[in-house]
Amino acid sequence: MIKRILIASALLFSLNVSSGQVNKAAPHPRLVIGVVIDQMRWDYLYRYQDLYSADGFKRLLSKGFSCENTFLPYVPTYTAVGHSCIYTGSVPAINGIIANDWFDEATGKNMYCTDDSTVNTVGSNSAEGKMSPRNLWVTTIGDELRLSNNFQSKVIGISLKDRASILPAGHSANAAYWYDGSAGKWITSTYYTSQLPDWVNKENDRKLPDQFMSKDWNTLLPASKYTQSTKDDEPYEGSIPGEMSPTFPHSFSSIKNKYEAFRFTPFAVTYTFDMAKAAIDNEKLGGGDVTDMLAISISSTDYIGHTFGPNSVEAEDAYLRLDRDIADFLNYLDKKLGAGNYIFFLTADHGVLQVPGFLKEHDIPSGTYNASALKAALNKMITSKYNFENAVAAVENNEVYMNHQVISDDKALVNVENDIVDYLKKEPYVANAFITEKIATSTVPEPIKQRLINGYNPRRSGEIGFYELPAYISGGGKGTTHGSWNPYDAHIPLLWYGYHIKPGKTNRETYMTDISATLAAMLKIQMPDGCVGKVIEELMN
């Protein structure tokens, strides 16, 4: 009788695990999965809700915990900065990642955030793999997880974009993989390994980008369902590189460089999740005695958003397809790890502005300007007044970098900088301008001032900063971008689901920096060494 009871109990336990029920006795989550949706505005959670499936965003909202008012606490709101902040709990002033790229005075050239000339590409013959996290000055939550158990945990980053894979994974990551658009493959660098694992080679041998690009991109649902979008063909929308028409169906047959164009399709989202599943299966993530971590970033939403804008049919269709991919991935995790045995969080690195042309069409103030033309105008003004040639070295990330080889006299430099501030304040698209090292004493309103301070790094930032009027961007007549402090760029979704996370939501203001602090508390490990976030206590059981 006792033997039968034991057998029955074992069978019941097995059924509970296979059906996805929570193992309450689990001492720790088996796997932490972070999913960052590049350029996802917070309102997308609800804007397309009527067309979402039951198991994607709706599942996360109804069965998980939503931080409804999560903001980026710094500017500029760019991809590299966002991914760094999420996984370090830090800000550019501390972690050193002030933008996707910045002007480097020592070399007189732009520095890309993950450039590393000391490493080489692994997986292709291009230079796309000469990347590492060495420009990041602080640890990530993945670094701290590995440090907490003498490097027994596995940490892996996956994204189409190098910076969205490398920076989240951290310095001590087991691996980071990104997409080489010149080869149509997943690659890495010698920072991590000397050769790709067999399973990654097998993924590349499937040639999924070729398969996806052999068919057209049609809308997932009938066109009449897309009531949240403008008509399909608008003059202010861009087009996929190499495409003949910017409208549905998007035909890829005439595109020569299909691998680069692939980034601009929702099929690259499926491709990224497929790679994530392969990593979990082959690296046995979540299969050991310690917690592992997988950092996933979805990049196609950013390429599509920049090109077509938030009000496009393309953007709506991309999010409807993303929702299905998320549902499929969550179902996979339940079967693989057991529901409740993993921590899943979903957020974004930044939002995006509506296309200025669309806003103007509806009498909403908006506009564009040209940063290159601004640099030329500033140099012309300085040459005319002081006879200094090329005194402005660069205008990057809403900052002006001075050429100190041209102006070596400190008094002259102060005069020139003050003149630049005065010039900028008179520009019709500029809301305010200031000397960056004097932000704290400038007449800038809160909370903009604090975000500017958080974004200023004396070793990498320019000498003069400015921010635009709402809905003004540097760009052309098509598409849109991001980078500002405004809610359309800085208000992001933050959803938590899984291990010891209770359903619910909070409307109090939380910040991107709080993500790593909260993960550290849940995992009972040290916060990253540059973390300034606070624990979101409401979400934990």
Side-chain angles (χ1 to χ4, degrees):
M1 177 63 71
I2 294 175
K3 184 176 181 181
R4 289 178 181 177
I5 292 172
L6 290 173
I7 292 172
S9 298
L11 286 171
L12 181 60
F13 175 80
S14 176
L15 286 170
N16 283 344
V17 171
S18 64
S19 65
Q21 291 184 18
V22 179
N23 180 3
K24 292 292 186 182
H28 57 77
R30 296 173 64 181
L31 181 63
V32 175
I33 307 102
V35 176
V36 180
I37 311 301
D38 202 323
Q39 203 189 108
M40 183 175 179
R41 292 162 53 117
W42 167 82
D43 57 319
Y44 290 170
L45 286 176
Y46 302 102
R47 178 169 184 156
Y48 308 131
Q49 193 173 45
D50 289 348
L51 300 180
Y52 284 152
S53 66
D55 277 347
F57 287 117
K58 285 183 177 178
R59 174 178 175 179
L60 295 174
L61 284 167
S62 63
K63 297 182 179 179
F65 192 92
S66 178
C67 299
E68 294 282 283
N69 280 294
T70 301
F71 289 87
L72 282 65
Y74 57 81
V75 288
T77 49
Y78 293 147
T79 295
V81 195
H83 284 81
S84 299
C85 180
I86 290 166
Y87 286 90
T88 68
S90 184
V91 292
I94 298 170
N95 64 42
I97 303 299
I98 65 167
N100 294 335
D101 52 83
W102 54 87
F103 182 76
D104 181 35
E105 184 180 348
T107 63
K109 299 177 181 178
N110 271 17
M111 168 65 78
Y112 181 63
C113 57
T114 53
D115 267 349
D116 188 344
S117 61
T118 70
V119 300
N120 292 306
T121 305
V122 176
S124 82
N125 295 321
S126 77
E128 296 297 310
K130 294 181 73 64
M131 305 284 169
S132 84
R134 288 189 172 118
N135 286 326
L136 179 66
W137 295 343
V138 300
T139 61
T140 64
I141 188 67
D143 289 326
E144 295 297 335
L145 178 60
R146 282 174 55 75
L147 284 165
S148 73
N149 52 40
N150 199 26
F151 302 95
Q152 296 180 67
S153 291
K154 286 187 176 181
V155 174
I156 294 176
I158 293 172
S159 176
L160 292 185
K161 293 182 179 180
D162 46 45
R163 58 189 181 271
S165 170
I166 293 167
L167 296 171
H171 300 277
S172 66
N174 299 85
Y177 301 106
W178 55 96
Y179 177 71
D180 186 341
S182 68
K185 296 179 178 181
W186 293 107
I187 64 169
T188 187
S189 84
T190 52
Y191 178 87
Y192 304 98
T193 185
S194 60
Q195 60 183 18
L196 288 177
D198 288 342
W199 69 266
V200 178
N201 285 324
K202 288 178 181 178
E203 281 298 300
N204 285 333
D205 289 343
R206 295 173 68 192
K207 295 187 180 298
L208 290 178
D210 297 78
Q211 295 180 39
F212 283 122
M213 294 301 285
S214 67
K215 54 189 177 182
D216 294 343
W217 174 15
N218 289 287
T219 55
L220 179 68
L221 304 176
S224 60
K225 295 283 189 179
Y226 293 76
T227 58
Q228 292 295 330
S229 306
T230 54
K231 61 185 176 67
D232 192 22
D233 189 8
E234 294 285 3
Y236 42 75
E237 292 183 351
S239 59
I240 295 172
E243 190 180 28
M244 300 301 292
S245 170
T247 59
F248 281 101
H250 289 279
S251 177
F252 304 132
S253 59
S254 61
I255 296 178
K256 293 182 179 179
N257 194 344
K258 288 183 170 58
Y259 293 149
E260 276 298 333
F262 179 57
R263 299 177 186 271
F264 293 75
T265 75
F267 309 125
V269 176
T270 307
Y271 177 67
T272 305
F273 277 118
D274 280 350
M275 179 64 170
K277 292 176 189 175
I280 293 171
D281 290 341
N282 290 280
E283 296 291 347
K284 296 180 172 53
L285 299 181
D289 296 328
V290 295
T291 301
D292 297 321
M293 180 175 290
L294 179 61
I296 306 166
S297 181
I298 301 302
S299 304
S300 296
T301 43
D302 186 66
Y303 292 111
I304 292 168
H306 275 294
T307 304
F308 299 99
N311 229 65
S312 64
V313 179
E314 285 80 3
E316 184 169 2
D317 192 69
Y319 276 88
L320 296 183
R321 291 176 180 273
L322 169 64
D323 173 69
R324 272 67 171 178
D325 279 326
I326 291 171
D328 175 75
F329 189 60
L330 289 171
N331 289 332
Y332 159 83
L333 292 173
D334 285 348
K335 292 176 182 178
K336 186 73 179 180
L337 304 173
N341 288 327
Y342 58 88
I343 293 174
F344 182 97
F345 73 88
L346 182 146
T347 188
D349 54 348
H350 53 73
V352 72
L353 172 68
Q354 291 280 1
V355 177
F358 166 75
L359 294 175
K360 287 182 178 179
E361 190 175 72
H362 295 276
D363 299 322
I364 296 173
S366 185
T368 63
Y369 68 97
N370 187 302
S372 296
L374 174 60
K375 176 187 172 184
L378 290 173
N379 272 323
K380 183 179 179 180
M381 180 268 291
I382 295 166
T383 300
S384 175
K385 186 170 182 178
Y386 296 98
N387 203 30
F388 290 130
E389 295 285 345
N390 300 315
V392 172
V395 177
E396 296 279 348
N397 314 312
N398 283 28
E399 292 180 339
V400 179
Y401 289 80
M402 303 305 301
N403 189 336
H404 294 276
Q405 292 182 341
V406 171
I407 310 177
S408 57
D409 180 75
D410 289 344
K411 185 176 180 180
L413 181 61
V414 169
N415 291 334
V416 171
E417 289 178 349
N418 287 332
D419 282 349
I420 290 174
V421 169
D422 291 340
Y423 183 97
L424 288 170
K425 287 181 176 180
K426 294 174 183 176
E427 288 295 283
Y429 54 85
V430 173
N432 207 344
F434 44 85
I435 305 296
T436 50
E437 67 176 11
K438 298 179 180 178
I439 298 171
T441 57
S442 298
T443 55
V444 176
E446 293 288 0
I448 304 173
K449 179 183 286 188
Q450 188 59 54
R451 294 178 183 184
L452 291 166
I453 291 171
N454 288 343
Y456 171 65
N457 189 297
R459 291 174 60 180
R460 289 178 172 172
S461 296
E463 287 84 354
I464 297 125
F466 66 94
Y467 58 95
E468 305 97 337
L469 293 172
Y472 278 77
I473 57 173
S474 174
K478 293 181 181 292
T480 186
T481 193
H482 50 85
S484 76
W485 66 270
N486 305 83
Y488 49 75
D489 283 345
H491 186 192
I492 56 169
L494 177 55
L495 303 173
W496 302 82
Y497 177 81
Y499 182 85
H500 290 186
I501 295 168
K502 62 183 180 183
K505 69 175 183 178
T506 180
N507 284 305
R508 76 172 177 88
E509 200 162 281
T510 54
Y511 297 94
M512 182 185 274
T513 45
D514 298 337
I515 297 172
S516 281
T518 303
L519 285 171
M522 297 175 77
L523 298 173
K524 297 180 174 62
I525 63 174
Q526 185 59 268
M527 293 181 185
D529 58 17
C531 184
V532 295
K534 297 180 180 179
V535 177
I536 306 169
E537 297 183 33
E538 301 98 309
L539 63 85
M540 292 180 277
N541 280 324

